[in-house]
Amino acid sequence: MEQQNIVLNVNGIEVIYNHVILVLKGVSLQVPEGGIVAILGGNGAGKTTTLRAISNLLKGERGEVTKGSIELRGERIENLSPADLVQRGVVQVMEGRHCFAHLTIEENLLTGAYTRSISRSQLKENLEKVYHYFPRLKTRRTSQAGYTSGGEQQMCAIGRALMANPEMVLLDEPSMGLAPQIVEEVFEIVKDLNSRENISFLLAEQNTMVALKYADFGYILENGRVVMEGDAEGLRTNED
């Protein structure tokens, strides 16, 4: 990867669950400023674990990083809390679109700005920005999230992350369970946010073809190891 400014540097991490189960075996990857990087691989390859190691959500799963280092703009972040990371601009969108089902779409979005001390007018401005990228959410803003479609919930989860004003978004399986045209729509918005707002994205995805269509660079994970890496174009045309 050419020397752009590296925002995230994951260096040879091992992750162990319950003190015994080795899930990641020396994973290294980098995300440059303003890049879209994909972690690809089948079920159980270690994609979600990699994202959770970065956003420090392993503790809740009884997992820990036992070797290697994770740096955000040169600062070691393994011991920061997930909340500290949000303050530093790293927000994770979990697999399975965790929206608050009983809240409306707009209430869900507003929870994303909860950690920021901003004025009412800034909040409104932020909300309008999210609605600009996700016009579909604007029309559904008073609907309870639990009664909206899977695509709308995925958009709501990403929109909520945007309300935290992130520099980098970790997206876990954004295409899961969505119809192909909705997947395209979600990825188009990701691409748009990346180019217009300069947000870096690290996404874990089983749908290799769609991920490589939108990403700049990809890492292929198998059994907790990176088995191949390269720019998206090269990986797309690779037989393996």
Side-chain angles (χ1 to χ4, degrees):
M1 192 177 279
E2 70 227 52
Q3 261 333 89
Q4 290 151 290
N5 272 346
I6 299 297
V7 183
L8 179 76
N9 192 7
V10 176
N11 196 357
I13 61 169
E14 280 193 357
V15 168
I16 289 184
Y17 281 110
N18 294 328
H19 306 298
V20 286
I21 307 158
L22 183 63
V23 181
L24 297 186
K25 305 155 189 168
V27 168
S28 297
L29 58 89
Q30 292 183 327
V31 180
E33 182 130 28
I36 301 179
V37 175
I39 306 174
L40 307 161
N43 225 339
K47 303 187 302 297
T48 294
T49 299
T50 304
L51 291 190
R52 290 190 162 192
I54 295 162
S55 57
N56 257 329
L57 291 170
L58 286 173
K59 300 259 189 314
E61 305 267 313
R62 303 193 59 184
E64 58 176 332
V65 177
T66 48
K67 270 190 194 161
S69 63
I70 303 172
E71 291 176 1
L72 181 69
R73 301 190 184 286
E75 177 196 8
R76 294 281 293 261
I77 57 172
E78 299 93 316
N79 296 321
L80 295 180
S81 72
D84 291 332
L85 281 166
V86 172
Q87 297 286 4
R88 280 170 176 72
V90 179
V91 182
Q92 177 160 355
V93 177
M94 311 284 275
E95 180 188 326
R97 324 179 260 282
H98 292 269
C99 296
F100 298 108
H102 59 288
L103 297 181
T104 65
I105 290 287
E106 186 154 301
E107 286 165 345
N108 265 284
L109 293 175
L110 290 172
T111 63
Y114 181 70
T115 56
R116 300 168 61 201
S117 40
I118 54 175
S119 68
R120 272 233 153 105
S121 62
Q122 280 174 301
L123 193 61
K124 199 166 184 292
E125 214 172 284
N126 267 86
L127 206 52
E128 282 314 314
K129 186 157 89 176
V130 171
Y131 287 145
H132 165 74
Y133 284 104
F134 297 98
R136 201 189 269 250
L137 292 183
K138 189 166 191 170
T139 53
R140 301 301 309 268
R141 66 190 190 195
T142 56
S143 309
Q144 270 191 330
Y147 292 105
T148 60
S149 70
E152 286 157 351
Q153 288 180 31
Q154 184 61 278
M155 291 173 189
C156 178
I158 297 171
R160 185 174 59 195
L162 290 183
M163 292 293 288
N165 201 26
E167 288 177 22
M168 186 165 134
V169 174
L170 310 176
L171 263 184
D172 198 359
E173 298 283 3
S175 77
M176 189 187 266
L178 300 182
Q181 73 271 21
I182 302 290
V183 172
E184 292 276 331
E185 197 177 328
V186 168
F187 271 94
E188 283 293 341
I189 293 167
V190 164
K191 192 86 181 157
D192 211 18
L193 286 166
N194 171 256
S195 59
R196 293 195 200 189
E197 309 288 333
N198 203 34
I199 297 172
S200 309
F201 284 88
L202 177 61
L203 49 103
E205 188 49 87
Q206 282 192 52
N207 188 335
T208 307
M209 285 338 273
V210 77
L212 290 177
K213 180 176 165 188
Y214 292 96
D216 318 307
F217 201 88
Y219 293 88
I220 296 176
L221 235 56
E222 248 173 52
N223 298 322
R225 286 194 171 90
V226 175
V227 292
M228 198 184 286
E229 61 180 81
D231 56 63
E233 189 51 43
L235 289 176
R236 250 210 317 269
T237 53
N238 187 309
E239 303 282 293
D240 299 332

